Amino acid sequence: MDTPASADREGISRIERLCIERGLKMTGQRRLIARVLSESADHPDVEELYRRAHERDSHISIATVYRTVRLLEEKGILERHDFGGGRARYEPTEHGPHHHLIDVDTGKVIEFADERHEVLAREIAARLGFQLVDHRLELFGRRFPDPTPEPAGGRRKPRSGRDPA
Amino acid sequence: MDTPASADREGISRIERLCIERGLKMTGQRRLIARVLSESADHPDVEELYRRAHERDSHISIATVYRTVRLLEEKGILERHDFGGGRARYEPTEHGPHHHLIDVDTGKVIEFADERHEVLAREIAARLGFQLVDHRLELFGRRFPDPTPEPAGGRRKPRSGRDPA
DNA sequence: GTAAATGCAAATTATTTGCAATTAG
DNA sequence: CTAATTGCAAATAATTTGCATTTAC
C-alpha cells in the first residue's frame, strides 16, 4: 500500500496537476473532484464521489461529477470499471497494468499484477489470430479459510443492474 | 464449431428441454424464446432476442423477454455477460469454462478456453489469500495483420453506457 | 471578452414492476 | 381451478443533455 497522496502538503493534488498538464480549465468543482480522486485509494462510483465532494463543498452538482469523470477518462487520467452492480467505478490511471480481485463477501477490490498472465494473454490472442489491444481479468474470491457455510448476512446479489458474469 | 442445434428436427429445442427439466411452465412465448436462444450461436442482447422472437411471433413483448432471460439465468440455463456497450448479453450455459475475445473492429465475440489460464487464476487468488469463486478474462484484440492505420470506419466507442475497461 | 463549465431539470437508455387479463398444468 | 405468466404502461436507476448563467484564462 502506498500513501493515497492527497495533495502537496496543502497545494494542488496529483490529479489536478495532470489536469493542468492537459490544459484543462480548473474550476473550483473540478479542483475539488480532482482532490477527492487523489485522496481515494479505492474504486468509487459517481454517487460516492459526489458524496465525498459534496460534503466539502455543497456548490457542486452530480451532473458535474458525471461530466468530470467522463472528461478525465477521455483524457486518460481516470479508468472506468464495471465490477457489476450497475454503476461504473473509477480509479486514477497510474499503476502499471494490473487487474482486480473482488471479495465476493465484502465487495472490496484488491489490485494485483502478474507478468505470467500478461504473457499468457498475449499468447492466447496471437493463437486466435489477434493482436492484443487490451484485456481485463477479474477474479471473484472468498477469503481463506472459508467462513461458515452461510456467512451470516453474506452478500446479497445486487439484483438491480448487471452481474459480474 | 458445432451445429447451433436448433431443435430436434422440429421438436422441442435444447433450451426448452432444460426448462422442462427444471419444471418451468412452458408458454408459447417462453418456448419461442427458448428456440431462438437454442438457435443462436452468438451472444445476443435482450433487444436482439426480442427482434428475433418478434419476427416469428409478434405476440410477445420485450418485458417478457427481460423476464425470461432473468429467469433462465437464475435457473442456470443462461449466462449473462457485460462486454461493455451498456447492454447485458446472454449465452446458453453449456460450454465448459471459457472466456471471450472481443474483436474491437467488428464487435464479434470469440470463445476460447485455456487450461493454463485456469490454473494461473487459481494460483493468483490463492497467493492473495483467496479461494477463487469465479473469474472472467476478456481479451480485446484486432485481427492480424494490422489493417490500415485508420480502419476506414472502424469501431466508434459506444459512447453510451459503460466501456470495457 | 469568449469559449468552456456549471446547475437544474428534463431527456435517454436499459431494465423492472404493478395490475388486470390470460393460460399452463 | 389456481398459481404462474403476459402485455402494457408507468416506475426505476444510471447517466446524459439543453439551456441560461457563471467563470477561467
Side-chain angles (χ1 to χ4, degrees):
Chain A
M1 317 308 168
D2 58 295
T3 319
S6 56
D8 302 329
R9 208 70 75 185
E10 47 92 69
I12 74 179
S13 63
R14 198 187 73 91
I15 303 281
E16 180 179 354
R17 176 156 34 245
L18 290 171
C19 290
I20 295 171
E21 281 170 15
R22 324 251 162 146
L24 298 184
K25 206 186 242 189
M26 291 312 292
T27 66
Q29 24 287 72
R30 207 107 108 183
R31 201 179 333 272
L32 175 54
I33 294 170
R35 185 169 298 262
V36 167
L37 282 167
S38 294
E39 294 174 358
S40 296
D42 51 351
H43 302 68
D45 59 30
V46 169
E47 249 191 278
E48 179 60 25
L49 286 174
Y50 171 66
R51 197 172 305 116
R52 294 179 192 175
H54 192 270
E55 71 182 16
R56 292 195 181 184
D57 178 355
S58 52
H59 294 356
I60 195 171
S61 86
I62 196 163
T64 296
V65 181
Y66 271 108
R67 277 190 276 235
T68 302
V69 292
R70 176 192 267 229
L71 175 71
L72 298 197
E73 192 211 347
E74 281 163 2
K75 294 297 182 183
I77 295 172
L78 284 188
E79 267 174 51
R80 187 208 307 240
H81 296 290
D82 175 16
F83 295 140
R87 343 238 253 245
R89 297 172 62 174
Y90 294 86
E91 74 173 325
T93 301
E94 58 185 320
H95 334 290
H98 67 275
H99 300 281
H100 300 95
L101 185 155
I102 294 93
D103 183 323
V104 297
D105 291 316
T106 67
K108 280 280 171 57
V109 176
I110 290 162
E111 299 185 357
F112 66 86
D114 189 294
E115 189 51 38
R116 289 169 301 168
H117 172 259
E118 303 303 312
V119 172
L120 184 53
R122 261 195 305 281
E123 188 186 316
I124 292 172
R127 173 156 45 83
L128 295 169
F130 284 78
Q131 183 183 340
L132 196 59
V133 168
D134 191 11
H135 71 293
R136 67 178 178 194
L137 170 63
E138 272 151 36
L139 308 183
F140 296 84
R142 174 162 290 133
R143 254 197 150 108
F144 280 137
D146 210 326
T148 36
E150 276 311 291
R155 94 157 181 160
R156 59 252 177 278
K157 299 179 78 172
R159 248 284 129 267
S160 48
R162 21 211 143 292
D163 255 10
Chain B
M1 315 309 169
D2 59 295
T3 320
S6 56
D8 301 329
R9 207 69 77 188
E10 48 92 70
I12 72 177
S13 63
R14 197 186 74 90
I15 302 281
E16 181 179 353
R17 177 157 31 245
L18 290 171
C19 289
I20 295 172
E21 281 171 15
R22 323 252 161 146
L24 298 184
K25 207 186 243 189
M26 290 314 291
T27 66
Q29 23 290 68
R30 207 110 106 183
R31 203 181 328 274
L32 176 53
I33 295 170
R35 185 169 298 263
V36 166
L37 282 167
S38 293
E39 293 173 0
S40 296
D42 50 350
H43 302 67
D45 58 30
V46 168
E47 248 190 276
E48 178 61 24
L49 287 174
Y50 171 66
R51 199 173 303 116
R52 294 179 192 176
H54 192 269
E55 71 182 18
R56 293 192 180 185
D57 178 355
S58 51
H59 293 356
I60 195 172
S61 87
I62 196 162
T64 296
V65 181
Y66 271 108
R67 277 190 275 235
T68 303
V69 292
R70 177 193 268 229
L71 175 70
L72 298 197
E73 193 212 346
E74 282 164 1
K75 293 296 183 182
I77 295 172
L78 286 187
E79 266 174 50
R80 187 208 306 238
H81 295 291
D82 174 16
F83 295 140
R87 322 151 104 98
R89 297 170 64 173
Y90 293 86
E91 76 173 324
T93 301
E94 56 185 324
H95 335 292
H98 67 274
H99 299 283
H100 300 94
L101 185 155
I102 294 96
D103 182 325
V104 297
D105 292 316
T106 68
K108 280 279 170 58
V109 176
I110 292 162
E111 297 185 357
F112 66 87
D114 190 291
E115 189 51 37
R116 289 169 301 168
H117 172 258
E118 303 304 312
V119 172
L120 184 52
R122 258 196 305 279
E123 188 186 317
I124 292 173
R127 175 157 42 84
L128 295 170
F130 284 78
Q131 182 184 341
L132 197 58
V133 167
D134 191 12
H135 70 293
R136 66 179 180 193
L137 169 64
E138 273 151 34
L139 308 182
F140 296 85
R142 172 163 290 134
R143 230 158 190 133
F144 280 136
D146 210 323
T148 37
E150 275 311 291
R155 98 159 181 156
R156 59 252 177 277
K157 300 179 79 172
R159 247 288 129 264
S160 48
R162 20 216 145 286
D163 253 12

